Amino acid sequence: MPLDYEVLKFIWWVLVGVLFIGFAVTDGLDMGVGGLLPFLGKNDLERRVIINTVGPHWDGNQVWLITAGGAIFAAWPLVYATAFSGFYFAMLLALFALFFRPVGFDYRSKIANPIWRSAWDWGLFIGGVVPALVFGIAFGNLLQGVPFHLDEFLRPYYTGSFWGLLNPFALLTGVVSVAMLMLHGALWLQLRTADPIATRAKAWVKPLGLTTIATFALAGIWLTFGIDGFKVVSMPALDAVPNPLTKQVVIDSSGWLVNYRDYPLTLLFPVLGFAGLGFAVSMSIQDRPGLGLILSGLGITGIIMTVGAAMFPFIMPSSTNPNNSLIAWDATSSHLTLTVMFWAAVIFIPIILVYTTWTYYKMWRRVTIEEIQAQDTLAY
C-alpha cells in the first residue's frame, strides 16, 4: 500500500533531520578533532597520534553530509536551489575549507619537513572550524528568515548579501556549532589517545562544554525575546501538489514557540541538549570519556532537534515575502519521487549505519606515540 503524500512529506522532513544529526555526530567529531589539532599536539608525533584517531573514519563519516545534500536536492529541490543561490559564497567558503581535509590527511606525512607538516596541520584546523562555523551561521540566518522571494514561475531571487549573513545572532549560533563539535572532538581524543594528549583533551572538555551550554542558552533567550518567528495561517490541503505561492504566512513574535506550546513533549529536545552536554562534561571529569562521548552525541542531537522542532514546518522562511517561505508541505518533490527515495533510504541508511559501526569496532583502540613510531610508513 503506497504511503500518503502528506505522510511522505513529513517522513522526509524527519529523514533529512536524521542525516544532519548523523553528520554532526560523526563528521562533526572529525571537524572538532581538526579544530583542536594545533593546540593539543605539541610536536609532530603527538599530532600524528591525533590525526590517526580519525584518519580511518573521516571519509566514511563525510558520507552523511553528501547523503544529506543529495536528499535535499531530490526531496526539496526548491530549497536546494534557493539555499545555494542565497548562501552561494558561504557554501563555497565551507567547501573550500573542506578541501583541506582529504589533502591534509593524505599528504601531511608524505614529506618529513616541519614547515610542510605545520602548514597542513593548520589546513586541517581550517577544514574543521570553518565548515562548523558556516553551518552554524546558516542555521542562525534560517531562524531569522532569509531575504528571498519567488516569482510566478517559482524562480528564487535572493536579495541579501554575504556580509549580511554575518549578523550578531548568526555569529552566536556559529559559536554554538563550533564549540559543541570541538567538545565532541575533545571527548573523542580523551577516549582514543594516551597521556599526555588525553590529559590535555580532558582539560579542554569543561570550558568547551560550558561555552556550548552558555551560548545555546543565550541563543534560546535571544530567539524567544528578540527575534520574531513565522506562522502559517492558511494553505491548501497538505497532500496537494506543492506550490509555495498558495499559502499565507505571517510574522509572529511567538512564532518559534508555537510548537513547544502546542506539543509539550517537544520540550524534551532542549532538555536533551542541555542535559547531554552537562553530563558529558561530568563524565569527562570522572574519566569516563566513552560515556561522555555518547552523551555529547545526545546533546548535539538535542540542539539540532530543538531548532527543527521550533521551525517546523518551515525549512527556509522568507523575510522579504513571508508568503514565499519554503515549508515541508509545499517545497517537496512529487509523490513518486518521495516514494522511490523513501524505499532507497530504508535500504541504504541501515547499510551506512552497519558499516560505520563495523569500522569503529574494528579500529577501536587507543592510539599511542609508540604505535606511530612502530608503523611509521602506515600511519597518517
Side-chain angles (χ1 to χ4, degrees):
M1 180 178 179
L3 293 171
D4 292 338
Y5 198 14
E6 177 185 348
V7 174
L8 279 169
K9 291 177 181 179
F10 178 74
I11 287 174
W12 272 103
W13 179 83
V14 173
L15 285 177
V16 171
V18 168
L19 292 172
F20 275 116
I21 290 170
F23 165 66
V25 173
T26 58
D27 204 33
L29 181 152
D30 305 332
M31 291 192 288
V33 169
L36 292 168
L37 175 63
F39 309 109
L40 297 188
K42 301 303 182 183
N43 55 53
D44 181 62
L45 277 173
E46 290 182 357
R47 292 182 180 184
R48 293 187 73 185
V49 167
I50 292 171
I51 291 171
N52 273 268
T53 64
V54 295
H57 306 293
W58 73 269
D59 47 355
N61 292 340
Q62 200 154 279
V63 168
W64 290 97
L65 176 61
I66 297 169
T67 306
I72 292 174
F73 174 77
W76 302 335
L78 192 54
V79 174
Y80 185 92
T82 306
F84 273 79
S85 60
F87 297 156
Y88 185 75
F89 291 107
M91 294 292 186
L92 279 181
L93 179 62
L95 182 62
F96 288 148
L98 286 170
F99 286 165
F100 283 107
R101 300 177 67 205
V103 183
F105 282 122
D106 288 340
Y107 290 166
R108 180 197 181 275
S109 295
K110 300 302 182 184
I111 300 177
N113 181 291
I115 296 176
W116 170 269
R117 293 186 174 183
S118 178
W120 285 117
D121 290 339
W122 286 104
L124 290 171
F125 168 82
I126 293 171
V129 171
V130 172
L133 181 65
V134 170
F135 295 144
I137 287 174
F139 274 100
N141 280 280
L142 289 177
L143 286 164
Q144 297 174 91
V146 181
F148 77 93
H149 65 275
L150 306 172
D151 67 9
E152 65 272 22
F153 301 108
L154 298 182
R155 293 178 299 190
Y157 291 87
Y158 180 74
T159 56
S161 67
F162 170 77
W163 300 111
L165 299 175
L166 306 180
N167 56 78
F169 178 76
L171 290 173
L172 175 62
T173 57
V175 172
V176 176
S177 177
V178 172
M180 76 177 185
L181 296 186
M182 290 184 71
L183 165 67
H184 205 46
L187 284 159
W188 171 259
L189 291 175
Q190 184 183 354
L191 176 65
R192 291 294 309 280
T193 63
D195 286 333
I197 301 171
T199 299
R200 294 189 201 125
K202 177 181 177 181
W204 277 73
V205 168
K206 184 175 180 180
L208 286 171
L210 294 178
T211 299
T212 308
I213 291 171
T215 51
F216 180 43
L218 179 58
I221 294 170
W222 194 336
L223 191 68
T224 301
F225 298 104
I227 295 177
D228 291 335
F230 294 77
K231 182 179 180 181
V232 179
V233 293
S234 69
M235 68 175 298
L238 300 184
D239 59 353
V241 175
N243 185 348
L245 302 179
T246 57
K247 65 179 177 298
Q248 184 177 357
V249 176
V250 297
I251 295 177
D252 185 355
S253 60
S254 62
W256 295 143
L257 301 178
V258 169
N259 288 335
Y260 290 107
R261 182 193 65 201
D262 294 344
Y263 308 98
L265 282 177
T266 56
L267 291 170
L268 293 175
F269 299 149
V271 171
L272 178 63
F274 284 117
L277 296 173
F279 283 115
V281 172
S282 175
M283 292 300 101
S284 171
I285 293 172
Q286 297 176 46
D287 290 319
R288 301 177 67 184
L291 185 55
L293 187 70
I294 294 172
L295 290 166
S296 174
L298 291 175
I300 292 172
T301 301
I303 289 176
I304 295 175
M305 293 176 71
T306 296
V307 177
M311 291 186 63
F312 184 80
F314 289 90
I315 302 170
M316 196 170 182
S318 169
S319 59
T320 304
N321 187 340
N323 290 339
N324 292 172
S325 298
L326 303 178
I327 65 175
W329 308 124
D330 64 15
T332 62
S333 294
S334 67
H335 192 176
L336 176 60
T337 300
L338 295 186
T339 300
V340 172
M341 287 179 56
F342 170 75
W343 291 113
V346 168
I347 295 170
F348 288 107
I349 289 181
I351 293 175
I352 294 174
L353 289 171
V354 169
Y355 85 67
T356 299
T357 304
W358 182 81
T359 58
Y360 278 97
Y361 169 74
K362 294 297 290 185
M363 302 178 189
W364 193 262
R365 67 188 187 283
R366 286 186 182 269
V367 182
T368 64
I369 291 175
E370 292 74 20
E371 177 186 348
I372 301 302
Q373 290 173 322
Q375 302 178 358
D376 186 68
T377 58
L378 300 177
Y380 285 91

